[in-house]
Amino acid sequence: MSAGDKLFGRLLNRHPPAHQEIVEPPSVLSVGLQIQLDAQGRVLHLSGPLRHLLAQQAPAAQLAHLLDFLLPHCSLAIEGPPADWRGQLLDLDFYSLSGSPLHLRGWVQPMADTWLLQLLDIGDLLLERRQARLREQCQLLAAQIGEQLRLCSLMRLPDVLVDQLQSLAQRFHIPCIALALLDEQEGWQIHQHYAGFDTPSLWHNGQRLGTGLDSLDGSTPHHLNLAEHPRLQGTFGNTEGFAVPYHDAQGVVAWLLCGCYTAHQQAPDVSERDWLQFAAALAGPLLARLREHRHHLQLERLESLQALLGTGWWEMFNDSEVQLAPSLARALHLEQERLPLQDWLVQVHPADREQLHSRLQDLRLEGAPLLLCVRLHRDDGDTPPTWYRLQGQALGVGNQRRLVGFMLDISDIKNQEQLAAAAHARLDNLIASSPAVIYVQRYVEGALQPTFFSDSLQPLLGWTLADCTGAALVDRVHPEDRERYFERTRLLLREGSVRARYRLRDSRGNYHWLLDEARLLRDDLGLPVEAVGLWLDVTDATLAAEHVKQSEERYRMLVEDSPAMICRYRPDLTLSFGNRPLATYLECSPEGLPGVNLGSWMSAQQRESFLQRLSQLSPEFPVSTAEINLQLPGREHAWWVWSDRGVFDEQGRLLEVQAVGRDNTEVRRAQQQLTQSAKMATLGEMATGLAHEINQPLNVMRMAIINVLKRLGNGDLQIDYLTDKLNRIDAQVQRAARVVDHMRVFGRRSDIEQQPFNPAQAIDGTLSLLAEGMRGKGVELRVSECAFAVQVRGYVDQLEQVLINLMVNARDALLGKREADGQFKPWIAVYTERDEHAVRLWVEDNGGGIDPRLLERIFEPFFTTKPVGVGTGLGLSVSYGIVQNMGGTLSVRNSAEGARFCIELPIVHDAQITSDARPA
Ligand code: ADP
């Protein structure tokens, strides 16, 4: 073993030589540095190759201490004299020429009375150790960074990333540091950055960097001298930069960027590998976490999408099991997500189940893609079925093959589809069965050629499309209408739409009136493409309209030429039409009639009762006839027999009244005349009775006067006696005056309008005229006081006339009977009764009654059983008319002893009276 070998062996073993070692004489070794020292540690001699590296290479004139060669911190290692250093391994840093310290290791050993310090260069050894330590630290840091990023919650991930960037920055004095990732647009983007508080901030999160980084080789870190990388100037803000790539299977996916940083100067010991490791420690877990996050979001989206759409995936295993997406299992109300195939199929409606099963088999055995719409099996029959679209496919091959698919709830679409299909079918049906034909005519060089007819063509006209090509269609147009048809086509092409009416011949040779409505469709350039139109068979309507027109014309003539008054008026009595006779009566022209109110010729009371009558019209009883009374211009009174027919709407409201009228004034006048004559005749008849009526008071007065005169002659006239007689005379005068008065009233013509009155009044009036005369003839009057007061409408004098007629007839019958039988005691009874609606006046006698065979005829005019010149045969007939005119009836029956006549009149109630009395 050479001395050198021994020396290295010691060095490496790091054991100082043992004290008992033999001290060899100093010799010049070819390695290291040997320093001879005196007992105080002063340098006596330097030898060995390393001495050329020392800043101070030879002992000075004045012996320098070893400490003068060493960096200050070494003074601790060599305290005291060299003798104290024995047995120690000395690590000493010498000042060197190069400026950086020279690391040497060695030991002292005695050499005679001096000490020899043997030293070897351990600079490399130290460097290696430092580097190893640094690498260890780097690894540890990288591991920590990776771990932090892997373990933190997703929410804290950005903060943790900043922390890790910060720790890197602080550890290696990096002013700005950032991690750039590839974004979706394939450019680079700052994902997270950190900058010390006093350093320029180069970046911000989310900053887009473009694709400049792609120009760098992705396998090593880059010290960026920006002059060489002009594309990266923007990224590093014109300063020095350092970029470390991270790549995974897809290539470079991240860059760790250090700004304002020269790595080889500021961290010379950190190797490229270490930098790559840092980049990987940051980007690896981060990207994994981000992918995880994206995946998670994706899943969430998928879940919510499935839930929203009512859809979900399924996967089939073997032939017996399926797994369903949770949302799908929920939608199907299934407890489990993985279940036997059979349980899944049971969910499907029996009608679709077999088909689904067979299609699933096809998918499994042959890989035939599955697409099927199925209904779910539900027990409640009322709700529309739930429809699912079921799709499936085989993924992969061989053992790896999977059968997957999805189910989508398409109930809405399906149900709408079905509704639409039903509506479509109905429409088709409707078109086919309607009298309408839909057609399409294609535009070919200015002409229109039929290309389509709806199915209704055949039933309507008996043709097919083939029958109508070329000129065939025009041939079928009625010769008289052809010009119209050509005009229709010209108009359609010019205006874009048309509406025409013409006749077409059907297959049996009959002509149909068609209403043709067509529209021209144009392309984007405005050029005609085709005409779409509709034929409506309006034959019936056209003929009917023709018919109506003709009949209307006939009726118009009828109405115009009719001598009767014909008009239409609204419920408020405003005329909308009136013919010439009506206009003549109203003294204006027929054109002037519309708008005129019929009521303006009626008194308030007449109008009231006219409207009252109209209000009783109804759809069931639309007609009412009455004799109405009007005050016409320039004429006294007109009586019209007026017939109204109401026209009602669907709700039964009166819309209009159509009326026909006939002037009855002359008849009315004649009747009045007749009544008057009859009345006068009655008066004449009563002349005897009346003479008696007046004679009676005259007799009384005469007796009184004779008596007074007698007393005057005797000279014993007392004033009391005279007064008594004069009073009696006065009473009789009044009585006679009353009779005469009443006769005058009775003889007057009746009023034009009926008035309400109490029928008892008529009985009183009658008795005042007849009572005395009857008694004079020996006829007993049995009059019952009327126990009630009611009102009837009519003419009091006419009712009186009726009563007089009945009583005179009775008297005649009675007197006739007494002529035959002197013992006969004649009487006439007059009495009244009432119920809610009517009052009845009875006139009964004991004259033996009327021959039953004549009963039906006695009301006929001129019927009389009396000798010529005595009876007129008008009394009962006129009476009958009067009572009827008052709304009542006159009837007769034979009672046990004679005839019994009954006048029945409707009672007018107070409300009616007051409303009648209301001013117009
Ligand atoms: P006239 O009294 O002029 O004959 P009327 O019309 O009053 O005409 O009567 C017609 C007929 O009815 C009489 O002729 C008579 O025969 C019959 N008649 C009317 N009233 C009675 C009565 N109370 N009893 C019997 N016959 C009567």
Side-chain angles (χ1 to χ4, degrees), residues 531-543:
V532 178
L534 187 100
W535 279 338
L536 205 64
D537 188 342
V538 291
T539 311
D540 290 349
T542 308
L543 295 182

Side-chain angles (χ1 to χ4, degrees), residues 240-270:
E240 294 290 307
F242 183 56
V244 191
Y246 167 72
H247 56 88
D248 62 9
Q250 271 88 51
V252 183
V253 287
W255 286 94
L256 178 64
L257 305 178
C258 305
C260 313
Y261 190 59
T262 42
H264 44 19
Q265 281 175 19
Q266 280 158 288
D269 297 336
V270 182

Side-chain angles (χ1 to χ4, degrees), residues 410-450:
I410 52 162
S411 306
D412 284 356
I413 303 170
K414 203 72 188 178
N415 290 332
Q416 269 171 19
E417 206 174 88
Q418 284 190 335
L419 285 181
H424 205 263
R426 278 202 297 276
L427 198 66
D428 276 349
N429 203 12
L430 205 68
I431 291 174
S433 60
S434 75
V437 175
I438 294 170
Y439 65 79
V440 178
Q441 294 181 322
R442 175 165 293 285
Y443 175 86
V444 186
E445 293 175 345
L448 291 173
Q449 303 284 356

Side-chain angles (χ1 to χ4, degrees), residues 498-510:
V498 77
R499 189 184 160 99
R501 199 186 270 261
Y502 45 84
R503 279 162 288 179
L504 275 185
R505 200 175 60 239
D506 67 14
S507 56
R508 288 192 301 277
N510 297 327

